[in-house]
Amino acid sequence: MPDTPSPSAPVILGDEPGSFPHGVLAERHPAIVRQVRDAFPLDPGRRRALDALLASCADGVVEPLPADADPTGRDRELWAAWGLDGYAGRSWYDVPWLWAESHFYRRLLDAVGYFGPGPWQGVDPFRPAKLAELDAPETDEELAALDGLAELPAAERTKALLHGSLWGNRADLGFRLSGRGADAADQVDALVADDSDTLWSLLPAPGPGASRPGPATLCLVADNAGRELVPDLLLVSHLLAEGRVDRAILHVKPYPYYVSDATPTDVLDALRRLVAAGGTAAAYGDRLWAALTDGRVTVRAHPFSCAPLPYADMPDDLREDFAAATVTVLKGDLNYRRLVGDRRWPATTSFADVTAYFPGPVAALRTLKSDVITGLDAGTEAALEASGERRWRTSGTHALIQVRP
């Protein structure tokens, strides 16, 4: 069911002009529609559908899924369960922001014919941008830099790969479209919370003094494709090689979502990019390729990964997956919003308390690109508010590693 407001932490809406959520709905979503419209030689019918979505972004309301949006009917049933019937007819700005964003992407896929029969069925409208990022010179530079990792002590190498996965979240294509992250590279990187020691206590390296009750399983819930997914794969490969995990389950989206969110196709693209890179990058890629073929690494694309709801509402089968993991690591801003609830929490709200429902140890690796945050100590919050950086919550210049054992 749809998330409902709490008196102490209201659900975030996009109805406040000048707010970050309002800007996403009013500026970013129309920019994404135009980008997709210009990237493909779509027929007049598809272009009209995109134009209608563009007009809806400006002053329209949430509409039911079209009759031809889902030939099987299964997705229509899911969206009904996820609250579409209750929100239909209301302004995009007057329903929970998390829900509105998710429904926008579902409607965008309808407009380009992703689900219906025809030549564009199954064609990822964001794939040209994803592939361009994988082929960018910056990706070559990042992969070449891996050759120096072998010279580092094991602990430093592990830390470097963890931070590569963390800060790789800046590679979010949708974030760049808004222009709000354009100067992120010029800002001072800062961790506002760092529970990495707790994370490694859950996944200790084999050796004297290290013990665990049985094989270690990592669930990694991926966020973006391209230059973020590559360091995620490097981290998984490294943890397997170091013996910190015996098995890894990579959760991705079942269909294109939020511009650059990773799908199974994106996993293959990133893996091929690693294998073809040569040097240390190829060694990491070969190890991961072997792990996929022998079952130590599996890829899953659960329908709930594209749900417009917090993880507190996850179905039983997904809950069982996470409960069986030694630790579940959720990457990125959207997964963080879904983990803690997309609400206006006081920044000092306990991360452990708001994730107490989660079925097993959970960690969040996230660069800050939206308003919601929990788990800060009062001194850190005060320093950030006094820093003069007005958009520290949304600019992508700060990050966090939070763990609830």
Side-chain angles (χ1 to χ4, degrees):
M1 296 299 294
D3 203 8
T4 53
S6 162
S8 61
V11 169
I12 295 175
L13 307 179
D15 59 347
E16 181 182 343
S19 68
F20 184 74
H22 189 279
V24 168
L25 296 174
E27 301 168 17
R28 185 187 297 182
H29 286 180
I32 291 169
V33 174
R34 295 187 188 99
Q35 179 201 41
V36 170
R37 195 179 191 276
D38 294 342
F40 291 89
L42 298 169
D43 60 74
R46 293 300 167 200
R47 297 175 78 81
R48 284 193 297 271
L50 285 171
D51 289 342
L53 180 59
L54 189 62
S56 178
C57 290
D59 55 11
V61 298
V62 174
E63 299 177 2
L65 293 177
D68 61 351
D70 174 26
T72 68
R74 289 191 296 268
D75 205 40
R76 293 171 64 85
E77 292 175 3
L78 280 175
W79 277 93
W82 292 342
L84 178 55
D85 292 345
Y87 291 144
R90 294 170 61 178
S91 166
W92 292 93
Y93 298 89
D94 294 334
V95 301
W97 180 41
L98 173 64
W99 198 97
E101 280 196 288
S102 297
H103 190 62
F104 164 79
Y105 286 103
R106 181 60 180 80
R107 293 307 303 270
L108 180 62
L109 293 181
D110 288 338
V112 298
Y114 183 87
F115 291 103
W120 303 108
Q121 186 176 39
V123 175
D124 183 347
F126 311 124
R127 193 155 187 250
K130 293 174 180 178
L131 292 177
E133 184 181 84
L134 272 181
D135 293 335
E138 293 85 354
T139 307
D140 292 326
E141 295 169 5
E142 290 164 1
L143 293 178
L146 288 170
D147 292 339
L149 280 183
E151 303 171 5
L152 297 176
E156 291 185 27
R157 187 163 58 248
T158 299
K159 179 180 179 180
L161 288 166
L162 177 67
H163 281 248
S165 178
L166 170 66
W167 288 107
N169 189 225
R170 282 183 174 165
D172 177 346
L173 299 174
F175 180 60
R176 289 200 204 132
L177 280 174
S178 71
R180 297 180 186 270
D183 60 350
D186 298 325
Q187 303 299 319
V188 177
D189 293 353
L191 278 176
V192 299
D194 185 4
D195 296 338
S196 53
D197 287 345
T198 305
L199 176 61
W200 300 135
S201 73
L202 295 170
L203 301 173
S211 63
R212 58 191 186 207
T217 297
L218 168 70
C219 275
L220 194 150
V221 184
D223 190 30
N224 295 309
R227 285 172 57 209
E228 181 183 352
L229 185 58
V230 166
D232 290 346
L233 296 181
L234 292 171
L235 179 62
V236 171
S237 181
H238 172 75
L239 296 177
L240 287 168
E242 293 288 303
R244 288 180 180 268
V245 303
D246 302 289
R247 183 168 179 254
I249 303 169
L250 182 65
H251 285 262
V252 295
K253 304 299 189 297
Y255 51 77
Y257 194 61
Y258 277 68
V259 180
S260 54
D261 280 28
T263 67
T265 298
D266 298 318
V267 174
L268 294 177
D269 287 338
L271 183 57
R272 290 191 183 105
R273 183 71 170 86
L274 279 176
V275 170
T280 302
Y284 277 87
D286 289 340
R287 183 186 306 121
L288 199 57
W289 190 291
L292 281 159
T293 59
D294 66 25
R296 285 176 295 142
V297 174
T298 56
V299 177
R300 292 188 184 164
H302 195 286
F304 192 77
S305 294
C306 289
L309 302 175
Y311 279 106
D313 295 335
M314 75 180 85
D316 290 342
D317 60 334
L318 189 58
R319 181 177 294 274
E320 290 171 2
D321 274 2
F322 293 149
T326 305
V327 62
T328 297
V329 175
L330 291 97
K331 280 294 309 292
D333 199 78
L334 173 61
N335 280 324
Y336 188 85
R337 291 163 58 194
R338 296 185 69 195
L339 174 65
V340 303
D342 202 32
R343 298 173 177 271
R344 297 193 181 279
W345 298 109
T348 55
T349 301
S350 167
F351 176 76
D353 287 350
V354 295
T355 60
Y357 72 89
F358 200 87
V362 63
L365 303 185
R366 174 216 184 190
T367 52
L368 275 58
K369 294 184 292 186
S370 67
D371 292 306
V372 64
I373 192 167
T374 67
L376 298 192
D377 62 57
T380 298
E381 181 190 18
L384 289 166
E385 293 292 347
S387 67
E389 188 181 349
R390 185 170 55 89
R391 298 199 309 264
W392 65 266
R393 290 174 180 254
T394 60
S395 63
T397 58
H398 294 80
L400 57 79
I401 302 170
Q402 290 177 322
V403 182
R404 194 222 70 210

